[in-house]
Amino acid sequence: DTAVSQTPKYLVTQMGNDKSIKCEQNLGHDTMYWYKQDSKKFLKIMFSYNNKELIINETVPNRFSPKSPDKAHLNLHINSLELGDSAVYFCASSIGGDPTEAFFGQGTRLTVV
Amino acid sequence: AQSVAQPEDQVNVAEGNPLTVKCTYSVSGNPYLFWYVQYPNRGLQFLLKYITGDNLVKGSYGFEAEFNKSQTSFHLKKPSALVSDSALYFCAVRVLYGNNRLAFGKGNQVVVIP
């Protein structure tokens, strides 16, 4: 069974479109994250949710809106896509509180044309 | 601010030789340090972590890392590299108390030459 799963794996879309990336974890974790990996492979946190509540919101444009319907899901909706949004987006989950490792999904490669 | 640095961009090593990937950290308080590996077109996989206790931490796939407080380092090591170890390796540190947000280093590309 996949621990953290993201869909879709690849997403190619035109500028100005709105798209969503879905993430689900079956590990029973209470904290989920979205990370962005740019073309130089830099990884940076975007959002963190704990028990469906937003904990971290880094300096991310308002066009990015995470939604957590329950603690097993954290979706990422992006409005008015721009060329600079092209990246690989990783979902992750962990047990909140103690410093345990985070488990990552396979990533979604978003290409905006 | 909590951060880690990976000074090298790429590490080349011959198959069978020892592999070392360097990481130094800058934290206030006790550091919680992690190593992840990313194979091509894959997500990150956890290798090992240092929270407390023994300075030598053993992890997956034969990797280990040594926590050195005086040198503020947490280098990843493997005694004998395999071609299949060729991947991107990330050092990370937990940033906030009570939250597992990770700050990653820039990553090191490891190339194991047959």
Side-chain angles (χ1 to χ4, degrees):
Chain A
D1 285 343
T2 303
V4 182
S5 60
Q6 297 177 228
T7 55
K9 189 173 181 180
Y10 299 97
L11 184 55
V12 181
T13 187
Q14 291 185 325
M15 284 176 54
N17 284 352
D18 302 338
K19 291 292 179 185
S20 293
I21 307 172
K22 295 185 178 181
C23 179
E24 176 182 6
Q25 55 95 4
N26 62 5
L27 298 167
H29 291 164
D30 54 7
T31 304
M32 295 185 72
Y33 313 82
W34 278 107
Y35 283 84
K36 179 180 180 181
Q37 186 176 42
D38 64 20
S39 59
K40 295 185 178 180
K41 305 295 185 183
F42 287 119
L43 269 164
K44 191 172 181 183
I45 184 87
M46 298 174 68
F47 300 103
S48 168
Y49 267 73
N50 181 271
N51 282 322
K52 303 193 300 176
E53 291 188 18
L54 181 65
I55 302 299
I56 295 170
N57 182 353
E58 291 294 301
T59 52
V60 177
N62 291 336
R63 300 181 293 103
F64 289 79
S65 55
K67 285 186 172 53
S68 182
D70 55 62
K71 72 175 190 177
H73 295 83
L74 181 61
N75 303 323
L76 183 65
H77 189 75
I78 315 170
N79 290 326
S80 303
L81 278 155
E82 301 177 357
L83 293 176
D85 297 332
S86 296
V88 181
Y89 293 85
F90 287 102
C91 177
S93 72
S94 70
I95 300 172
D98 292 335
T100 60
E101 60 272 24
F103 291 80
F104 285 77
Q106 296 297 298
T108 296
R109 182 175 293 277
L110 171 65
T111 304
V112 182
V113 297
Chain B
Q2 322 282 57
S3 65
V4 291
Q6 296 180 247
E8 300 161 318
D9 289 328
Q10 182 163 312
V11 175
N12 295 327
V13 62
E15 187 177 22
N17 281 2
L19 169 63
T20 298
V21 188
K22 296 180 181 178
C23 174
T24 58
Y25 64 88
S26 174
V27 304
S28 53
N30 295 323
Y32 299 128
L33 299 160
F34 303 80
W35 275 102
Y36 283 83
V37 60
Q38 185 179 20
Y39 297 103
N41 300 315
R42 302 285 298 277
L44 278 76
Q45 295 181 32
F46 169 76
L47 279 179
L48 50 79
K49 65 183 177 185
Y50 172 82
I51 305 299
T52 186
D54 290 340
N55 290 340
L56 186 63
V57 180
K58 294 190 183 296
S60 307
Y61 312 122
F63 283 93
E64 59 188 26
E66 186 171 9
F67 172 71
N68 188 318
K69 189 172 183 178
S70 62
Q71 297 184 6
T72 62
S73 67
F74 188 57
H75 300 332
L76 181 70
K77 299 179 181 182
K78 186 170 184 178
S80 178
L82 302 172
V83 173
S84 57
D85 293 328
S86 298
L88 192 57
Y89 290 81
F90 290 94
C91 183
V93 63
R94 192 182 76 160
V95 175
L96 294 176
Y97 178 79
N99 187 294
N100 280 324
R101 184 182 74 159
L102 298 174
F104 286 87
K106 68 178 183 179
N108 279 131
Q109 183 67 48
V110 169
V111 177
V112 181
I113 304 163

